[in-house]
Amino acid sequence: MVTGAGGSIGSELCRQVAKFGPRRIVAVDIYENTVFELGREMNRRFPDISMDIIIASVRDCARMEEIFVKYKPHVVFHAAAHKHVPLMEDAPKEALYNNCLGTQVCMDLAQEYLAEKFVLISTDKAVNPTNVMGASKRLCEMLMQQKAQIADASGNGTEFCAVRFGNVLGSNGSVIPIFRRQISEGGPVTVTHRDIVRYFMLIPEAVQLVMQAGALAKGGEIFVLDMGEPVKIMDLAENIIELSGLEPHKDIEIKITGLRPGEKLYEELLLAEEGVKETEHHMIYVARPVETGEGFACIREKGLEACLEEIEDLDELEVREWIRGIVPTYQA
């Protein structure tokens, strides 16, 4: 099962999983258009593999349980998430419900229906998060580690892990498609800050490493991918303009627009207190778990859904304070 299967990472997971000849791939997504096209592509390229396209929200427990009951997947890749930082700054409750509650629902069902592996797709924005999206993904990592402890104590056998990496080139909303479109329109190309840098990886490479990390998992690990050297976005903009046969700052203007809400100048792949240890794969590392905030005790005692009900009447600033009580490294 791949959740968020219509997205950049989810669809590539389906393609690469198919090369190993699974009996069936269950592709789950709430947005029908991209996953519909994925189904057509997969049926054409891999006619011998059963490909089931399922429209569902990962936060709808009853609907997701129907799917788990029917298919009982051996492996779950959980890629479904809201990921756009500025949008989630304006909708913090939505980020928590979709990213965190959706993850909890899928993990609970994976354990109940005896999945062998559960791989959570995480992000470098979960490290010392300055935005709600990153903080929500850090909470997902905490929930995963809690679930791994429960599974280990119960002898359930489901191995839970997370894989954390940075931006992928060519993904939905990534800078290169935006830059190309801006160049085709005659400019300007927009960069939020002259000194902003990001880690980048090709989608197929990132997904291959996600699958490798999942294979290495024993339970509770947060795997960190070696993303190489960070790239300066200004340099990237200038290079793409030049590759288009134009001259930066002359044929095409580069406009500095200012950092967006929640946006960092640079992203980190590790929490300072985590440290890493090597795995047998030279591009995959394991981060040590970190302490949770005092507010996480509420989730341990009452469950995530009950705790989220308590924030329904809070305003945005109060929701951010609630998050900070759970994710101590979050600084809005």
Side-chain angles (χ1 to χ4, degrees), residues 2 8 47 60 64 69 74 82-83 117 146 162 243 272 326-327:
V2 179
S8 305
D60 184 340
M64 291 304 299
V69 166
H74 297 93
H82 288 324
K83 68 173 188 174
K117 297 263 188 183
Q146 179 192 33
L243 288 169
I326 296 171
V327 181

Side-chain angles (χ1 to χ4, degrees), residues 104 107 139-147 299 304:
Q104 187 71 66
M107 288 194 302
L139 177 51
C140 288
E141 293 177 349
M142 294 177 180
L143 294 168
M144 179 280 296
Q145 291 186 315
Q146 179 192 33
K147 178 59 73 173
I299 294 172
L304 178 63

